Amino acid sequence: MNYAIKPEVLREFCAKACEKFGYSPEYAAITAEVLTESEMMGTHSHGTKNLVNYIRKGLAGGIRIDADIRILKEGPAWALMDADASIGMVPAYRSMELAIKKAAQCGIAIVNVKNGTHYGASGYYACMAAKRGMVGISISNTEPNMCIPGGRGREIGNSPFSIAFPQKSGDPLYLDIALSAVAALKIEQAKKEGRTIPDTWIVDKDGFPSTSPEAFFDGGAAQPMAAHKGYGLSMAVEILTGVMSGGAILHEMTSWCWDLPTPNKVSYSSVAIDISKFMDLPTFEDRLQEYIDSIHSTPLRKGSARILVPGELETARYKNALESGILLPSDVAENLLALSELAGLELNLEKRTECDESSGDACI
């Protein structure tokens, strides 16, 4: 069974829930906006589903409700911020806003953030820049949850990565991925349902591929996507974020969702590139459209309906959510109802029978 809710209703509920537990109106509004927009894109694993655990983490001490997010040092095209263990959406949002502002002056800018917590869907922040006519890049390190090829145990993070470009239509073309072969939540779901999994998803405690989801929770680890390629990219993201910001790296970080009392200590990087410094924006958008049209015209193999470019499916979901409401999978609805009970706020969800085939890459 799926459920539906209007975007504005969900946004208001999430903001009120945050304020109920002591978050400022500004922090509550930003958090609600990021999570609701992610939900509208169909990124359910990184949307409002997680808010109840963010609230619980705040109550347990792992998130600072009254965090003092501040700039530690900055120059014309760069800055370093301290998130002070704030709820993750706020410093990530502010860092991209600052990167956009600086890029408008310098052409390109990077803002690093340390001492952060889980910031949700990285694609949201990259798209912030794309909606301003810029290229946006958002990356984050994470606590170790992947193996190193040839090794055993959880030794590296799956490092979310997103990049977004402005299109003529106004809808960003964007890629939002983590560098593991699969998300931890999918492994956990397979365990709950008693299913086996592909042997490319995880390794067991001895470092060998396993089809048993239980092996992941018994000392196993996720596999990097594309083996050494995902491993190398994960290292690059961690160097740009945790190492370069002076923040936590590797086992200095803890899980945002499975260790509620302890601050997460992840780091982010927000990068903005002002296209107008290279060519006028309409020219870029025309050239990009020509490129996309060429991709769309790719000959189809038998059984294929159409070719999609990154972000196209998410944009379609977003527009459908504006018209017909957000279709929520049952697990998202359950967590929102749990938050409703915890906060003492009413939440009315409409039952729907449609199947939502979208899925996200969760609990990173």
Side-chain angles (χ1 to χ4, degrees):
M1 176 65 70
N2 288 307
Y3 300 82
I5 189 170
K6 293 181 178 179
E8 61 271 21
V9 174
L10 182 58
R11 190 178 289 109
E12 182 180 10
F13 169 77
C14 291
K16 284 184 176 178
C18 288
E19 289 190 52
K20 185 87 172 183
F21 291 98
Y23 291 92
S24 70
E26 180 198 0
Y27 284 24
I30 291 173
T31 300
E33 174 69 12
V34 174
L35 296 181
T36 301
E37 289 279 309
S38 300
E39 205 73 65
M40 294 172 72
M41 292 287 193
T43 315
H44 301 302
S45 60
H46 284 55
T48 59
K49 171 181 180 174
N50 296 323
L51 184 54
V52 67
N53 262 356
Y54 296 148
I55 296 296
R56 288 169 177 158
K57 193 171 183 72
L59 294 173
I63 288 176
R64 287 199 60 181
I65 295 171
D66 60 346
D68 178 22
I69 304 167
R70 59 198 182 279
I71 297 173
L72 299 177
K73 57 177 78 171
E74 66 178 320
W78 60 273
L80 174 63
M81 298 174 64
D82 189 330
D84 194 31
S86 166
I87 193 164
M89 294 79 229
V90 182
Y93 183 95
R94 285 187 178 179
S95 67
M96 184 56 81
E97 280 281 298
L98 185 57
I100 291 168
K101 180 181 178 181
K102 289 178 177 291
Q105 298 298 317
C106 299
I108 183 171
I110 178 170
V111 178
N112 273 1
V113 181
K114 64 178 181 178
N115 295 327
T117 61
H118 189 260
Y119 72 174
S122 64
Y124 176 89
Y125 311 105
C127 286
M128 285 174 62
K131 291 174 182 177
R132 308 277 190 88
M134 298 187 183
V135 179
I137 300 172
S138 177
I139 57 177
S140 172
N141 65 354
T142 71
E143 78 282 356
N145 50 21
M146 294 198 309
C147 68
I148 295 172
R152 59 187 176 89
R154 301 181 186 185
E155 297 300 325
I156 53 173
N158 62 353
S159 302
F161 170 90
S162 62
I163 184 167
F165 304 90
Q167 293 190 84
K168 204 171 186 177
S169 65
D171 303 314
L173 184 155
Y174 77 100
L175 176 69
D176 182 356
I177 61 172
L179 299 178
S180 53
V182 71
L185 190 63
K186 291 185 178 179
I187 303 167
E188 185 177 29
Q189 192 64 32
K191 179 183 176 183
K192 287 179 182 178
E193 296 173 1
R195 294 185 287 108
T196 58
I197 57 177
D199 65 2
T200 55
W201 282 17
I202 67 168
V203 295
D204 61 22
K205 62 184 178 182
D206 297 314
F208 294 100
S210 175
T211 59
S212 170
E214 286 84 358
F216 178 75
F217 300 96
D218 184 27
Q223 295 186 43
M225 70 168 196
H228 66 284
K229 298 177 183 179
Y231 163 48
L233 287 171
S234 173
M235 284 191 65
V237 170
E238 181 122 47
I239 293 166
L240 284 169
T241 56
V243 174
M244 201 165 80
S245 71
I249 59 172
L250 299 174
H251 292 282
E252 295 170 353
M253 294 175 284
T254 60
S255 170
W256 76 269
C257 54
W258 293 324
D259 184 358
L260 298 182
T262 308
N264 198 193
K265 294 184 180 179
V266 296
S267 299
Y268 331 126
S269 291
S270 293
V271 179
I273 304 170
D274 187 353
I275 294 167
S276 69
K277 299 295 192 292
F278 298 85
M279 64 173 63
D280 65 272
L281 185 59
T283 300
F284 170 84
E285 291 175 339
D286 285 341
R287 288 173 58 82
L288 178 58
Q289 190 60 54
E290 289 177 12
Y291 176 65
I292 293 171
D293 290 344
S294 178
I295 296 294
H296 279 157
S297 66
T298 299
L300 299 176
R301 71 182 184 191
K302 186 177 180 180
S304 293
R306 60 178 297 201
I307 299 293
L308 296 170
V309 297
E312 196 168 359
L313 184 59
E314 289 80 2
T315 296
R317 291 172 182 154
Y318 185 88
K319 291 179 178 178
N320 185 66
L322 285 175
E323 295 176 2
S324 306
I326 306 170
L327 193 62
L328 302 174
S330 58
D331 58 335
V332 177
E334 288 169 7
N335 278 24
L336 286 170
L337 290 170
L339 177 58
S340 171
E341 183 176 353
L342 183 65
L345 295 172
E346 185 178 1
L347 178 66
N348 294 315
L349 299 176
E350 176 189 346
K351 289 186 178 181
R352 292 273 185 92
T353 56
E354 299 102 311
C355 175
D356 183 359
E357 297 179 352
S358 64
S359 61
D361 297 328
C363 213
I364 55 176

